[in-house]
Each structure stands twice: as C-alpha cells, then as structure tokens.
Amino acid sequence: MPGFVPLDALWIALMFMLLIAPHEAGHLSAAKFFKVRVIEYSIGVGPKLVSFVRKGTMYALRPIPLAGYVRLGGLEPGTFDDPNSFHLKPAYQRILVLLAGPAANFIVASLILGGLAFANLNTDPGKVAAVETGGPAAASGLMVGDSIQTVDGQTVNSPEDIRTVENRALGQPVTLLIRHTTGKMTQVMVQPIHCLTKAEISSGATLPAFCQGVTQDVWLLGLASTPVITPVDALTVTRGDAPTGGLLAPFVVAKDLGKGIYQLFTGQIPGGAFGPNGEVGAIGIAAITAQAAQSGAAAWLGTAALLSVALGIANLLPIPVLDGGRIVVVLLEKIRRRPFDREKEMAFQRAALAVLLTFVVALAYFDIHRILTHQFPGT
C-alpha cells in the first residue's frame, strides 16, 4: 500500500472496531430489551484475548478486528428449543432486533458528521480558510482566519461572491476590504492570476503553481473561503445536498450509495463491481482508511461515517446470512404462518455463507490488484 506507515495499522484496527462494535451492540441491546437469550457478544474473530460473563452473556475481544458477531439463542444448533429463543419472539420484535445493527451504524455516522459540522460552525461568509503560498492573496498580506468584508465594494454575503467577482474582473485588480484576526481593518488591491486552459498550456504557456489541478479557464486570487455552517446546518443537510450535518446526512449518503450500487450492476460504471471504481472489501477499506488517516483526524472521521453508512446498507441487502436476508425469512414465515425447518434453514445459511466468503476472497484479490496497479482511488 503506497505511503503506508506502521501507525496506519492502528487507525485501520480502530476503523474496523468503530464499524463493527456499534453494529453488534445494536443487535445486543435490542435482543436484551426483548428478552432474547444472548449467548455471546464478540468483537473480532479468532481466539479470545479477553472475556467475561455477565447476566448469562459472554463478552469477548478477539485479535482479528475484521468482523464481530452476536450469538442469539435459537439461531444455532442446540438452542432451537431455548425458551427465550429468537424464533419464539413475535415477528416485529425479531425484525427490530435485526434492524438494530444497521440502525446503530446510521446513528454513529450521524454523530460523527454532526460533530464535525459543529466543530466547524461558521457564520462569516468571508472567512479565509486557506491562502495559497506564492499567490496574489498571500502577497497582499491575507492570512488564514482573516475575513473579507467586501470585494470591489460589494458586501460578501456568501463564499461564492468572492469567486464571482474575481472571475468577472478578467485580470483587473480586485479591491478587498479585510478584517484581520487582530480586528484591524485594511483595504488592499489584489491582482488575480490567470489559470490557463488546456490549449494554452499545451502551447507552452507557464501554469502558476497553485493552478495545478484547475481544469477551467479562471482568474484566481489564491485563497479559499470557509463554508457557512450554522447550528441548523450542523443538524440537517443543506448546501446542495452536501452532508454537512448530522441527523439527515446518513440518509443523503445512503441515497448516493444506493445510486452507486444500481449504477455498478447496470453497467453504468466502467469495469462493473470488480473494476477500478467497483466494490471494495476489507483490504480496500484498509487502504481507504490509511489514506484518510494520513490526511488528518477530520478526514479519518468523515471516512468512518461514510463506511458506517455503507456497512449499514450492505447488511440490509436481502442476502442470506446478512440482516436483510434474515428479515426476509421472518417476513416469509409471517406470510406462510408457520416456521421453516430450523435444521434446513441452518444448512441453507451455511451454504450461503460459503458463497459470501468466496465473494469476499474475490474482492480481496481485486483490491490487491487495484492497489498494485495504481487503479485504486488515491493510490
């Protein structure tokens, strides 16, 4: 994995813990609430590192943080006749127990995104978030944290106002009224720099350093404004459906993920599920996590929120072994008004698990291939 450092292993382990522990805790809490027997709550797989028993449930930590599980009475051989069996509970209770895991993932994502938004509350539309080294704004004395009050006499009511005026100037100096972090007000004239078109670049023209990556023909001052995030924004979703808030952001992310899954399996994304932009497995998640960790805590937390929503959605798919598949079984039993043969159901689940593990191994292979061939996003 390019750029991998030993500390990334810790961040990767923490990421899997943050994804798995709340999910299984959701199942555990709902099962306990409805008095379903919980045999074991385990985070990680492999031999037990630490374990203890409380109120008939064993809590265990295991060394490989790639998965976790909650063992419920009635879902494995030898416990079918347990008086507090999962299968003896009303259908709505069983469905709620199964939904509690994905719901926990959504709650985690909501808390993370809401927390990030509240940490970046900003009601000043002219607040400077970044100043490009060597750019016109830096040469004029602008610093991060300063606030642009007016541009060519026009009051700044949104960050977009600055970009509109600098483009409209077409290379003419722009007058900025600045309130510095010290409270001092100054007025400066800044000369925008032209970020050239691809045609001009190919003709041999020189591209200013901070224009790297800009694909449009624009004039820039070399600064970035801080998005306006109010307390309402921190709780909801605004700014063109960008997930800037907590409560509703997971649902916006879920909608986008659902759209992506549809595009994958309808051939709208080149390469399909196993292509460069296809599905990722545990190794892919590790790569994404390492890249995010190297970009800072905020990037890591944002990635954790997105992956948490993805895990919640994945578990709701109507696939045997997953929560969604078990929900389908509950609904079918309700419709047919009699339970399935538990032994046959377990045999079917084991076969489905074998297929799922094969898919997981295939994903691991393609994850490694993408990383080694530099097709993986960010590598």
Side-chain angles (χ1 to χ4, degrees), residues 31-171:
K32 290 282 189 179
F33 181 81
F34 292 121
K35 302 188 185 315
V36 177
R37 181 191 172 199
V38 181
I39 302 169
E40 180 182 351
Y41 168 83
S42 181
I43 300 302
V45 293
K48 288 180 292 192
L49 295 177
V50 180
S51 68
F52 63 91
V53 177
R54 183 178 180 185
K55 295 184 178 179
T57 300
M58 182 174 74
Y59 297 82
L61 179 64
R62 301 176 186 271
I64 305 174
L66 298 181
Y69 54 87
V70 170
R71 294 170 55 203
L72 302 179
L75 290 182
E76 55 187 61
T79 66
F80 297 150
D81 298 325
D82 192 305
N84 291 315
S85 167
F86 172 82
H87 289 297
L88 294 180
K89 299 298 179 179
Y92 81 92
Q93 293 184 7
R94 286 179 280 162
I95 289 175
L96 289 176
V97 169
L98 294 167
L99 287 175
N105 289 126
F106 271 64
I107 291 171
V108 167
S110 182
L111 291 174
I112 290 174
L113 293 173
L116 289 174
F118 271 108
N120 292 285
L121 290 179
N122 173 51
T123 57
D124 181 357
K127 187 175 180 179
V128 177
V131 178
E132 296 286 352
T133 302
S140 300
L142 266 80
M143 300 180 67
V144 173
D146 290 346
S147 176
I148 300 174
Q149 303 294 291
T150 65
V151 185
D152 280 349
Q154 175 182 320
T155 300
V156 175
N157 295 311
S158 73
E160 290 74 23
D161 291 342
I162 301 171
R163 177 60 61 84
T164 299
V165 172
E166 67 182 343
N167 267 324
R168 192 171 59 204
L170 296 177

Side-chain angles (χ1 to χ4, degrees), residues 246-273:
L247 292 180
L248 299 179
F251 297 98
V252 174
V253 175
K255 180 190 73 175
D256 292 339
L257 288 173
K259 180 180 178 182
I261 292 172
Y262 173 78
Q263 291 174 336
L264 272 179
F265 291 98
T266 55
Q268 297 180 47
I269 296 179

Side-chain angles (χ1 to χ4, degrees), residues 281-297:
I283 294 175
I285 291 174
I288 292 169
T289 301
Q291 292 166 8
Q294 292 171 16
S295 298

Side-chain angles (χ1 to χ4, degrees), residues 182-256:
T182 60
K184 180 182 178 181
M185 301 286 286
T186 61
Q187 183 170 289
V188 298
M189 294 187 69
V190 185
Q191 175 70 50
I193 286 183
H194 191 199
C195 287
L196 308 176
T197 64
K198 291 181 179 179
E200 290 172 310
I201 295 171
S202 62
S203 68
T206 302
L207 184 69
F210 71 83
C211 288
Q212 295 290 342
V214 177
T215 58
Q216 299 177 345
D217 182 13
V218 293
W219 294 84
L220 297 180
L221 299 176
L223 59 85
S225 300
T226 304
V228 173
I229 301 178
T230 68
V232 173
D233 296 331
L235 291 174
T236 58
V237 179
T238 56
R239 315 298 170 205
D241 283 346
T244 57
L247 292 180
L248 299 179
F251 297 98
V252 174
V253 175
K255 180 190 73 175
D256 292 339

